[in-house]
Amino acid sequence: MSGVQGSGVGPAVDEHAEKIDAYASARNSQIAGALRAFARRRSALVGLAVLLLIIAFTVITPFLWKYSYSDITVDFSAAPGWRHPFGTDSIGHDLFAQTLRGIATSLKVATLVALLSTVVGTVVGAVAGYFGRAWDAVLMRVADLIMTIPVLAITLVLANVLGAKGSSWFLLSLVLSAVLWIPLSRLVRGTLLSLMKNDYIDAARMLGASDRRIIIRHLLPNAAGPIIVDATLMVGRAIIVAASMEYLGLGIQAPEVSLGLLIQRGQGAATTQPWLFGFPALFLVLIILSVNFVGDGLRDALDPRRTV
Amino acid sequence: MKNYWKAAAALIIVGAVMLAGCSTGSSKSASKSGNDNGGSVTVSVVGAIEGFNYLKAGSNIVFTEQMMHGIWPDSFTPDPSLKSVMNSDLLESADLISKSPQVVQYKINPKASWSDGTPISADDYIYLWEAMSGNKKFKDADGSAFLPANTSGYDQISSVKGSDGGKTVTVKFSSSFSDWKSLFNPILPSHVVKKVGFNSGLDNFGDALKVSGGPWMADSYADGQSFVKVRNPKYWGKAAGLSSIVYRIINDSTELASAVQNGEIQVVNPTNGTVSLKDALQGVGGFHLVTAPSLTFQHLDFNESNEYLAKTDIRRAIANAINRNEIVQRTVGQINPKATTIGNHIFLPGQPGYVDNSGEYGKFDAKKAKQALLKAGMVEGSDGYLQPTWGSQAGKDFTLSIVSASGRELWNQIQQLVQAQLKAVGIKVKIVTLTDYFSQVQKGNYDMATYGWAINPYPSTMKSVWCSYTNAECASNWAHYSNSKVDALLKKATGELDSQKASVLYNQADKLLWSDMASLELYEYQQVGGWSGSVDIENLKYNSSALGFHWNDQDWRLK
């Protein structure tokens, strides 16, 4: 480590600065190492590239395309062709414009839902797994209770209660997160329970480490793998569950569309007008796969057992 | 080795899933076997049954009436041309014996009797009047008031009396009611219903339901799965052609095509159709598809409590801005290319009396619409929308909400088409989807609403929609419309016993309804149904009244 020339202050400052410097470099190399690990997985890079491409596509293309997602065009029930590369639906919407719009809407909701439910699920699972006993009992029973209520019933009650405000996508995301955090919390809890059997946890406790430190520095990083995988799966799940709610008018309001809604509408005509179902479904699959590959890469990058 | 077991397990699981996915209903194929060689046919019913007494409020669902047809006898039945035909097995005659005051006399067939031996008599007519009259002095079995679905006509009867040992029924009216043939369809076995109760005694399947007075008898019911009616062995009239009809309950119209394909059902009861249902049924080899208009029509209502929609010229302008032909073309027109717009608020195309009174009010003319809006006090805003110069939206984009029920794709499509069409003349339309749609509409929480009315062939039933909402009997006037001239004409028309004179009066009222533009009529629902190529059923004919195929189901025969 090269020394840093202070401004006439004594060696004590240099040592301190050296320590900061050393620490910073260690961190830098850790981050660099993580990035390298991520990049080592080719599928993760491909997934990232596809995701970024799709996002760029949905943001830029609407400005260049002649139809907007809400336009009623001259052609209805048209198969894919020159004027409408993805065809049109039965009243005349251009499906290409609608698919782009749908991707944007769905990604917005799904990202927020994945983030929120991951955070909530991790916190709840960690508390239940680490502190156990009363915390565990209460939290897991609450989770059980929420799981027994079918999502559709929750949707209908909320739609009635919220009325017009129910068309807010933000509220929809909150509702979905409130339901989707549960499987992750059980996963985290289970992982923590098994990790806590390790000796180094007892050792850390004996050395005086606080509960918070043990959870954040020792337990969660080891559970990061399953958490990330579940979070990426959550994206696809959120889009599909959101679809049945959107079909009933919650979360989005016509002429707004989402990927899930397009798929749900299209599946009734899957054999007779396959383009209504096919194109949105194709993009959904691409998104889910890319997110999963990125998740795999993240998992490798964050694996504490990985050496720099 | 490990891989071999994995693959085998996978195959077994896949196989089990596929088998589980196959429908579990018992396959009822049409056959000529069984007693009396009549055979059986399975008909689809889409949706849930909510009680068997379809005369009662809340249970008056169309397919309940179709399922129960032939069990309780009707006095009159509409034929496919919508002419009312007297039930000659039940009645020897049904005549208007006096016009003023109006008196109708029914002579019941001496052989007519309920399947438990009790003769059909004036008691059954008297009971039905009491239950349907809406008069609180008549009480149901538990002492509470009756809850009929519709009191139209019954509330104008002053007395029902029996004579000749109960075989002659004399009905006196306090005020003339022209559609008297719509009454007493059906009559219930009063000796049974008096005991179990009209309001709830027939909600569940039981012995009370097995008492029949027609060619069919209720045989069995498996909740959520099927309802079976069999030939009534005690029927005194012409026996039913088939020995039984099975009604298979299906939850979702998307399952219909596959149910036909695997032989589970042979007849698809015409149901309000979508393009995908029509395509799916057409895809089943040999299927005889029937697409025909039904007596349900779609309309767009304007809530006159909205300060802007209270102005007639604004309503007329909005009507001119809406391209009804385009709406028809893109919705029901894809099911039945012959579908047209409706030009009358009381009659439907095909009914005697129908005249297209829409004139200039129903014509699409966007330019005229915009000019009228500008004249009504709007100015062009900077973003392409008009802005009112008066009222609560002064200086802002003129915005109206259009409400629809959630989950109804067809109505949602209409909302979007109207939104695009009104945008073209500068009106911003906000689409609102409600799960408790009908209660909100009844409360008047909307600017524009689109939904359907199911009517029967009798024009007097439309009176409760158009007469001034301030009257208690106009319970269906959800648009808060009021015109005393219309009230007077409708009152005269419903009392006019000569149907041609009545039609003239109804059409005069309709002309006023068009110029007042309380509601814009769109189109008739197109029903999609038919029967499988695997059966040959004689006498299966479509009828656009609520009875659908079932108006003559006792005459169906397997060839």
Side-chain angles (χ1 to χ4, degrees):
Chain A
M1 303 292 158
S2 57
V4 174
Q5 289 305 315
S7 47
V9 189
V13 178
D14 277 350
E15 270 174 38
H16 185 61
E18 274 181 31
K19 279 201 199 122
I20 293 173
D21 201 30
Y23 181 72
S25 307
R27 283 303 267 175
N28 282 341
S29 73
Q30 264 193 323
I31 293 174
L35 285 172
R36 270 205 294 276
F38 184 92
R40 216 171 293 148
R41 256 192 185 270
R42 216 165 305 162
S43 59
L45 283 179
V46 170
L48 188 62
V50 170
L51 256 184
L52 291 175
L53 262 176
I54 290 180
I55 294 174
F57 196 54
T58 56
V59 167
I60 299 172
T61 320
F63 292 107
L64 307 171
W65 185 240
K66 55 188 151 167
Y67 298 118
S68 120
Y69 68 95
S70 58
D71 282 346
I72 307 266
T73 68
V74 169
D75 316 289
F76 53 96
S77 291
W82 282 120
R83 233 195 326 213
H84 301 279
F86 286 7
T88 61
D89 71 3
S90 63
I91 54 172
H93 290 122
D94 173 57
L95 207 61
F96 182 64
Q98 288 213 310
T99 307
L100 292 176
R101 182 73 179 196
I103 295 172
T105 316
S106 286
L107 281 180
K108 214 167 49 172
V109 169
T111 312
L112 183 59
V113 171
L115 276 170
L116 275 177
S117 19
T118 304
V119 167
V120 174
T122 307
V123 168
V124 170
V127 168
Y130 185 80
F131 292 107
R133 285 173 297 168
W135 281 107
D136 187 14
V138 169
L139 285 172
M140 287 299 111
R141 294 298 79 74
V142 167
D144 286 341
L145 196 65
I146 298 178
M147 275 201 88
T148 54
I149 308 173
V151 177
L152 206 57
I154 299 177
T155 313
L156 290 173
V157 169
L158 275 167
N160 265 328
V161 165
L162 294 171
K165 277 183 284 189
S167 58
S168 151
W169 71 271
F170 186 68
L171 274 171
L172 173 68
S173 308
L174 288 180
V175 172
L176 285 173
S177 313
V179 173
L180 292 177
W181 62 265
I182 296 167
L184 182 63
S185 70
R186 289 201 210 282
L187 185 68
V188 170
R189 172 183 173 275
T191 311
L192 251 61
L193 283 176
S194 66
L195 285 174
M196 284 184 349
K197 297 201 180 87
N198 283 312
D199 291 334
Y200 68 87
I201 301 296
D202 293 330
R205 256 199 222 121
M206 285 195 288
L207 285 173
S210 71
D211 290 327
R212 213 189 70 176
R213 188 180 171 79
I214 294 177
I215 295 177
I216 295 178
R217 286 298 306 278
H218 298 290
L219 291 170
L220 284 184
N222 283 302
I227 292 178
I228 289 170
V229 169
D230 206 75
T232 59
L233 287 174
M234 198 101 66
V235 170
R237 222 179 280 152
I239 295 181
I240 297 295
V241 176
S244 46
M245 295 172 125
E246 287 154 353
Y247 189 69
L248 293 175
L250 198 69
I252 62 172
Q253 200 62 274
E256 193 63 73
V257 287
S258 82
L259 209 55
L261 192 59
L262 286 173
I263 291 174
Q264 178 151 51
R265 278 200 208 137
Q267 66 182 356
T271 47
T272 50
Q273 294 174 308
W275 61 91
L276 292 179
F277 173 77
F279 289 107
L282 175 67
F283 275 95
L284 182 64
V285 168
L286 278 175
I287 290 171
I288 294 179
L289 281 177
S290 323
V291 171
N292 283 352
F293 289 152
V294 168
D296 285 346
L298 275 178
R299 197 185 54 203
D300 282 353
L302 294 176
D303 190 343
R305 282 164 293 173
R306 172 186 56 79
T307 52
V308 175
Chain B
M1 259 309 140
K2 252 204 316 197
N3 287 333
Y4 171 85
W5 285 117
K6 268 199 207 159
L11 269 174
I12 292 172
I13 292 173
V14 168
V17 168
M18 280 174 65
L19 280 174
C22 288
S23 29
T24 47
S26 52
S27 251
K28 290 257 186 226
S29 44
S31 56
K32 274 208 150 222
S33 61
N35 29 339
D36 306 301
N37 264 347
S40 172
V41 165
T42 307
V43 182
S44 66
V45 168
V46 179
I49 296 175
E50 298 178 37
F52 293 91
N53 180 3
Y54 55 95
L55 292 172
K56 142 193 147 174
S59 295
N60 54 331
I61 299 178
V62 164
F63 52 79
T64 310
E65 190 178 342
Q66 293 172 346
M67 256 174 32
M68 294 291 294
H69 177 260
I71 295 177
W72 295 324
D74 292 325
S75 305
F76 281 88
T77 307
D79 70 7
S81 68
L82 299 180
K83 201 174 99 189
S84 292
V85 178
M86 186 186 79
N87 180 348
S88 52
D89 281 342
L90 173 71
L91 300 167
E92 288 184 332
S93 66
D95 297 306
L96 191 64
I97 57 173
S98 153
K99 281 203 183 153
S100 155
Q102 182 180 358
V103 180
V104 175
Q105 200 172 70
Y106 300 89
K107 287 217 180 14
I108 303 174
N109 187 332
K111 287 194 257 172
S113 93
W114 299 103
S115 55
D116 62 356
T118 312
I120 298 181
S121 69
D123 289 343
D124 303 315
Y125 279 78
I126 295 169
Y127 180 75
L128 198 77
W129 163 55
E130 293 180 356
M132 302 293 286
S133 63
N135 191 330
K136 299 238 164 39
K137 75 173 188 227
F138 299 123
K139 302 276 184 231
D140 194 13
D142 59 356
S144 60
F146 286 102
L147 297 167
N150 191 332
T151 61
S152 179
Y154 293 104
D155 52 5
Q156 290 173 248
I157 295 177
S158 57
S159 75
V160 180
K161 291 212 174 76
S163 52
D164 300 333
K167 284 306 186 180
T168 299
V169 189
T170 307
V171 179
K172 278 208 187 99
F173 289 81
S174 55
S175 51
S176 293
F177 180 64
S178 50
D179 286 335
W180 58 272
K181 292 186 187 170
S182 68
L183 303 173
F184 305 107
N185 298 321
I187 47 171
L188 301 173
S190 56
H191 62 289
V192 172
V193 188
K194 264 188 195 145
K195 292 205 200 102
V196 300
F198 177 90
N199 291 343
S200 49
L202 298 164
D203 284 352
N204 301 310
F205 191 83
D207 289 331
L209 216 62
K210 294 195 184 164
V211 176
S212 141
W216 296 113
M217 196 164 82
D219 178 69
S220 62
Y221 175 63
D223 200 3
Q225 282 189 48
S226 63
F227 172 80
V228 182
K229 63 189 187 193
V230 297
R231 248 191 225 142
N232 176 3
K234 303 272 174 50
Y235 191 56
W236 67 93
K238 190 165 160 222
L242 301 170
S243 9
S244 69
I245 298 183
V246 177
Y247 291 90
R248 182 91 174 77
I249 297 169
I250 294 194
N251 294 313
D252 197 321
S253 52
T254 53
E255 298 172 33
L256 283 170
S258 50
V260 175
Q261 187 95 58
N262 62 26
E264 217 182 311
I265 58 176
Q266 289 91 47
V267 176
V268 173
N269 220 3
T271 176
N272 288 323
T274 58
V275 180
S276 43
L277 176 61
K278 173 181 158 225
D279 288 342
L281 288 174
Q282 266 179 329
V284 176
F287 190 78
H288 302 279
L289 186 75
V290 169
T291 57
S294 71
L295 288 179
T296 309
F297 65 93
Q298 189 76 8
H299 54 97
L300 181 70
D301 286 358
F302 302 108
N303 189 348
E304 302 197 18
S305 338
N306 175 299
E307 65 194 309
Y308 298 100
L309 294 176
K311 300 256 174 244
T312 312
D313 35 352
I314 291 184
R315 293 197 302 276
R316 285 186 190 155
I318 294 176
N320 287 134
I322 292 175
N323 186 340
R324 297 187 298 149
N325 281 325
E326 184 185 64
I327 293 178
V328 169
Q329 199 188 29
R330 291 176 189 232
T331 54
V332 288
Q334 295 187 69
I335 299 169
N336 181 355
K338 293 211 200 97
T340 59
T341 56
I342 300 173
N344 196 304
H345 293 74
I346 296 168
F347 294 106
L348 287 177
Q351 273 186 292
Y354 174 78
V355 176
D356 185 339
N357 293 315
S358 58
E360 45 171 301
Y361 301 114
K363 217 176 274 177
F364 170 58
D365 191 336
K367 226 168 99 187
K368 178 175 166 196
K370 191 143 189 193
Q371 280 169 354
L373 286 167
L374 292 169
K375 227 170 125 198
M378 311 261 168
V379 290
E380 295 256 19
S382 50
D383 56 354
Y385 290 111
L386 293 172
Q387 293 180 350
T389 54
W390 53 275
S392 61
Q393 292 189 32
K396 294 183 257 184
D397 288 343
F398 182 38
T399 308
L400 292 170
S401 71
I402 179 169
V403 301
S404 173
S406 65
R408 302 252 195 164
E409 183 135 355
L410 197 56
W411 296 5
N412 199 245
Q413 291 176 337
I414 296 173
Q415 283 178 312
Q416 293 183 63
L417 288 168
V418 167
Q419 185 187 49
Q421 291 168 355
L422 290 183
K423 184 171 174 197
V425 297
I427 302 178
K428 192 184 271 190
V429 172
K430 190 159 163 268
I431 294 180
V432 176
T433 318
L434 301 166
T435 45
D436 57 343
Y437 179 72
F438 285 109
S439 62
Q440 294 294 327
V441 168
Q442 283 183 21
K443 286 191 209 147
N445 292 338
Y446 67 95
D447 293 334
M448 298 187 285
T450 179
Y451 56 100
W453 279 125
I455 69 173
N456 59 39
Y458 304 102
S460 60
T461 40
M462 289 311 289
K463 175 165 150 242
S464 65
V465 176
W466 303 123
C467 57
S468 293
Y469 70 98
T470 41
N471 291 337
E473 64 191 40
C474 306
S476 302
N477 184 345
W478 296 344
H480 282 213
Y481 167 72
S482 178
N483 182 331
S484 53
K485 287 206 203 98
V486 169
D487 290 348
L489 283 166
L490 287 177
K491 194 158 171 217
K492 232 169 129 196
T494 51
E496 176 52 69
L497 296 169
D498 177 325
S499 61
Q500 274 180 329
K501 287 198 192 134
S503 296
V504 169
L505 290 165
Y506 280 124
N507 278 304
Q508 282 175 355
D510 188 47
K511 284 202 178 66
L512 288 174
L513 289 169
W514 276 104
S515 88
D516 284 344
M517 195 45 74
S519 166
L520 182 62
E521 307 303 56
L522 297 174
Y523 57 72
E524 279 177 295
Y525 282 21
Q526 298 297 321
Q527 303 225 309
V528 174
W531 63 96
S532 156
S534 65
V535 286
D536 208 357
I537 305 175
E538 238 180 273
N539 297 323
L540 184 57
K541 257 185 227 129
Y542 181 70
N543 183 324
S544 60
S545 77
L547 288 168
F549 277 149
H550 295 274
W551 68 284
N552 67 344
D553 58 8
Q554 70 276 11
D555 292 335
W556 293 358
R557 241 169 267 295
L558 284 175
K559 288 202 211 148

